[in-house]
Amino acid sequence: MAEIQRKGAKKQTEGQKIWDAVLTGVSYMIPFIVGGGVLWGVAKAMGGYNIAADMAKITYDQYTPAMTIYAIGSAIFNVCVPIIGAYIAYALADKPGLAPGFAVGVISNTIKAGFLGAVIGGILAGYVVIWLKELSKKVPSSVQSVFPILIIPVVGTAVTSLLMWYVIGVPISWLMTSISGALMNLQGVGGFVFGAAIGAGMSIDQGGPVSKAVALVANGLNADGIYGPAACKMCGGMQNPLGVCIAQIIDRFTGKKKFTEKERSTTLSGLVLACCYIQEYVIPFLVQDTWRCLVPCMIGGAISGGLAGFFALESPAVHGGVFVIAMMSNPLQFILFWFAGALVTGVLYFLLRKPVEQDQEMGENGVLDKLLG
C-alpha cells in the first residue's frame, strides 16, 4: 500500500510502527470480544452462570436456546486471538500478512500462548512477510508473480507458525499459564491492588495512550478467558465522567459557583456519556484544571477498580457501559462499585476546584462541541 509522504512529516520509528500495528490489531479484535462477550452474557442471563458446565454434559443437538447462544458466542470468541495476530501483521505488511498472522494466532491458541503470543507472533509474521516481499524484488521478473500467491502465504505461514510452536511460544505459554492461574484465583487484598492499578490507570488520560495500554492488557486477558480485569477496567473508567457530573451537581446545590454555566449545562449529557462508557467527556476539565481533576479521578478509579478486584467481579464484555451490566457476574456489585468511585471522585473534585469566572470558556473537545451545537 502506497504511503503519502507529506513535507515536514516526521518519519515513524520501528517502535512506533509496531505500537500502531498492535493498536490496529486490538481495534479489529474488540468487536469480536464485544460480540462474543455480550452473547455469552445473554446466554448466562437466560441459562445461568454455570451454563458452560451444563453444556459439557450433553451433546449439541440437546442444547437449549440459551446454550445455542452461548455456543455462538464461544465460536466468535475463539477467533479473537487469531484476529489480533492477523491484523497486526496486516498493519505491518499489508494484505500478504493476513494469512501468516491469522495462522500464528491459531497456533498461539493451540499451545496456550494466548493473547500475548498472538501479539508477538503477529509482529513476527509482519516482518517475515516484509522480508519475503523485499526478497521478491531481487529475483527474476518471471518468478516474482509466484511470491504473492504461493511463496509468501506458504513460507510466511510455515516459518512464523513453526517458530511460534517450537521457540517463541514455549516461554510465552508458560508465562500465560502462570498469569492465568494467578489471576483466576485473585481476590481479597491482592485483587484489590490489581484492580486499583487498572482503575487508576484508566483514569490518567481519559482514553489517551496510558488508558489504551491498560485497556490493551485487560482486553487481551478477556480474550484469554480471564474476565476480572475487564470488570475493573469498566468500573474504573466509567466512574470518571460520572464523578465530574457529581461534582457539578454538588456545585449546583451548594451555590459555590466552582463551574461555569457552560460547564454545568453539560451535566445531563455527561451522565449519558458516563452510562455509555465515554470517558472523553472528562478531557476539557482535565485540560483546564489538570491536577485538581486528575488526582480525584485516579483515586476514584482506584476505589472502583479495587473493589471490583477485591470481590472478583467478572465481565464477559470489555465495553458497552450500562447495556452490559446485566451480563456481569454480579450486576448490583458493579453498580455499587461504579457509584462508590464516582462519588469519591465527585466530592474530591468539588472540594479541590476553585471558584471560576462564569463567562470563562471550557477547553475544546470534539464530543462536547457536538453536544453543545
Side-chain angles (χ1 to χ4, degrees), residues 6-67:
R6 291 180 172 83
K7 188 176 180 180
K10 292 183 179 179
K11 188 176 181 181
Q12 277 191 315
T13 64
E14 287 302 313
Q16 291 172 328
K17 288 180 182 178
I18 291 172
W19 179 245
D20 286 346
V22 172
L23 292 180
T24 298
V26 171
S27 70
Y28 278 97
M29 178 187 72
I30 285 177
F32 289 85
I33 294 180
V34 172
V38 169
L39 287 176
W40 269 10
V42 170
K44 287 178 179 180
M46 293 171 60
Y49 206 73
N50 294 320
I51 189 171
D54 297 333
M55 291 171 65
K57 302 173 184 177
I58 58 177
T59 57
Y60 76 93
D61 56 339
Q62 297 174 303
Y63 284 177
T64 63
M67 291 177 176

Side-chain angles (χ1 to χ4, degrees), residues 111-265:
I111 64 174
K112 309 299 182 186
F115 165 78
L116 181 59
V119 169
I120 295 174
I123 295 169
L124 174 65
Y127 278 103
V128 168
V129 170
I130 289 172
W131 173 72
L132 289 171
K133 289 168 72 174
E134 290 297 321
L135 184 63
S136 70
K137 299 175 183 178
K138 300 176 182 179
V139 299
S141 57
S142 58
V143 183
Q144 286 182 1
S145 61
V146 180
F147 269 76
I149 61 174
L150 181 64
I151 303 298
I152 291 178
V154 173
V155 175
T157 299
V159 169
T160 53
S161 296
L162 288 171
L163 283 173
M164 175 57 68
W165 192 291
Y166 288 108
V167 183
I168 301 172
V170 176
I172 296 176
S173 177
W174 175 84
L175 177 63
M176 291 305 295
T177 301
S178 301
I179 292 175
S180 297
L183 293 181
M184 284 291 190
N185 300 311
L186 194 60
Q187 55 184 337
V189 176
F192 183 89
V193 173
F194 182 70
I198 293 176
M202 289 300 298
S203 305
I204 291 176
D205 52 4
Q206 309 299 333
V210 176
S211 299
K212 282 184 171 65
V214 175
L216 177 68
V217 174
N219 295 344
L221 292 170
N222 190 278
D224 289 334
I226 303 170
Y227 310 123
C232 298
K233 182 196 79 167
M234 288 185 63
C235 233
M238 287 175 65
Q239 65 82 31
N240 291 294
L242 181 59
V244 172
C245 290
I246 288 174
Q248 294 171 22
I249 293 170
I250 296 173
D251 189 48
R252 285 178 182 273
F253 282 99
T254 59
K256 296 293 185 180
K257 294 185 178 180
K258 293 189 173 185
F259 292 88
T260 67
E261 285 298 329
K262 191 174 183 181
E263 288 173 326
R264 288 198 295 265
S265 71

Side-chain angles (χ1 to χ4, degrees), residues 205-208 279-288 363-365:
D205 52 4
Q206 309 299 333
Q279 293 182 232
E280 284 77 4
Y281 171 76
V282 182
I283 289 175
F285 302 95
L286 187 64
V287 169
Q288 70 179 14
E364 292 184 3
N365 174 263

